[in-house]
Amino acid sequence: MLQVCLNGPRTAADSGAVPMSPAALAEAARRAVAAGAEDVHVHPKTPCGRDSLSPRVVGPALEAIKAAVDVPVGVTTGAWTEPDPPAPSDGPHSSPDPRLERIRSWTVLPDHASVNWHEEGAEALAATLLERGIGVEAGLWSGTPGPGRFLRSPLAPRVLRVLAEVTDTDAGSAPGTARALLAEVAGGAHGRPVLLHGWDGGAWPVLRLAVELGLNTRIGIEDSLLLPDGRPAADNAQLIAAARAFVRSSGMASRRALERSSGKTSES
């Protein structure tokens, strides 16, 4: 499965290719799906460009995108979507998480939502999403306590998929970081599908690794502003098309290798 991540926390200050409004997000999703995306991840934004979980922001964005495509659409629930996320606490009286009330107030529901398991309140957030019938993507960032916390979570078997998210942005070391992250979560993924992806300089090397390993992956303006050859991407559709081209070339190489192997076997 190839997911498109339309915008992420980026804004127009990062690139003119970042879709912001519901109409722009819908058009970006339509073009990306036409180019081969099979799932959509989006950060609904206020008019000033801030990520938000407000039903007045999430609803219009989802309505517009769902009217444009017929694939699953998911949103972020990152702590930065609320100005006052809960403070870390080991006691029973931690501050209330405003994201929970936001999710309970949604009138238009996404198909799934990502939960960053290293963030405070991840368990309650995931439980609230599941109560509303929304699939949970378990975001497990490399270099954080997230993977360990997820492996101990009673909710782990109930998530839609595991997002193995490589925060190493160095093109040379990101694949190694990705392999280490996959090894860390391998024993506790409970058979859930794994989507492996990277960011910025690590985005394309990690995507290539995901394809080689036969894992789900994603690409889009959130993960990379650049095409594999280093040119700025015009839009999400161009990034998806580049990823699809790599998937095709990888598949052809695998088939040729299999044919060569079969040929040698038949002659021996």
Side-chain angles (χ1 to χ4, degrees), residues 44-226:
K45 295 181 181 291
T46 65
C48 64
R50 185 178 68 81
D51 291 0
S52 174
L53 295 184
S54 166
R56 292 178 294 179
V57 175
V58 173
L62 288 177
E63 287 178 331
I65 296 170
K66 285 177 172 286
V69 300
D70 59 358
V71 301
V73 181
V75 300
T76 183
T77 64
W80 61 86
T81 58
E82 286 297 324
D84 298 306
S89 173
D90 294 326
H93 303 297
S94 59
S95 59
D97 189 339
R99 293 177 295 173
L100 302 183
E101 288 308 312
R102 291 292 203 189
I103 291 169
R104 292 179 182 125
S105 69
W106 285 349
T107 55
V108 182
L109 300 184
D111 296 290
H112 51 76
S114 61
V115 175
N116 298 323
W117 233 267
H118 64 279
E119 293 178 351
E120 193 71 18
E123 289 280 331
L125 197 63
T128 301
L129 290 165
L130 291 170
E131 288 169 4
R132 298 220 62 190
I134 300 168
V136 172
E137 294 182 309
L140 309 184
W141 293 22
S142 63
T144 74
R149 291 178 180 176
F150 176 75
L151 297 181
R152 297 188 297 271
S153 171
L155 298 179
R158 299 177 59 193
V159 304
L160 174 66
R161 68 175 66 94
V162 169
L163 302 183
E165 309 197 70
V166 180
T167 59
D168 183 351
T169 59
D170 182 88
S173 58
T177 302
R179 289 184 182 276
L181 176 60
L182 291 173
E184 187 176 2
V185 304
H190 296 278
R192 309 316 299 149
V194 175
L195 187 157
L196 174 67
H197 78 99
W199 281 301
D200 292 328
W204 288 107
V206 172
L207 182 142
R208 292 187 182 98
L209 176 62
V211 173
E212 291 168 7
L213 296 176
L215 299 175
N216 298 326
T217 190
R218 79 178 200 185
I219 197 68
I221 293 296
E222 174 173 359
D223 286 355
S224 179
L225 296 174
L226 304 176

Side-chain angles (χ1 to χ4, degrees), residues 250-266:
S250 179
M252 290 176 62
S254 297
R255 285 195 294 274
R256 286 196 293 268
L258 180 61
E259 289 167 359
R260 288 195 297 269
S261 175
S262 299
K264 290 179 180 178
T265 301
S266 62

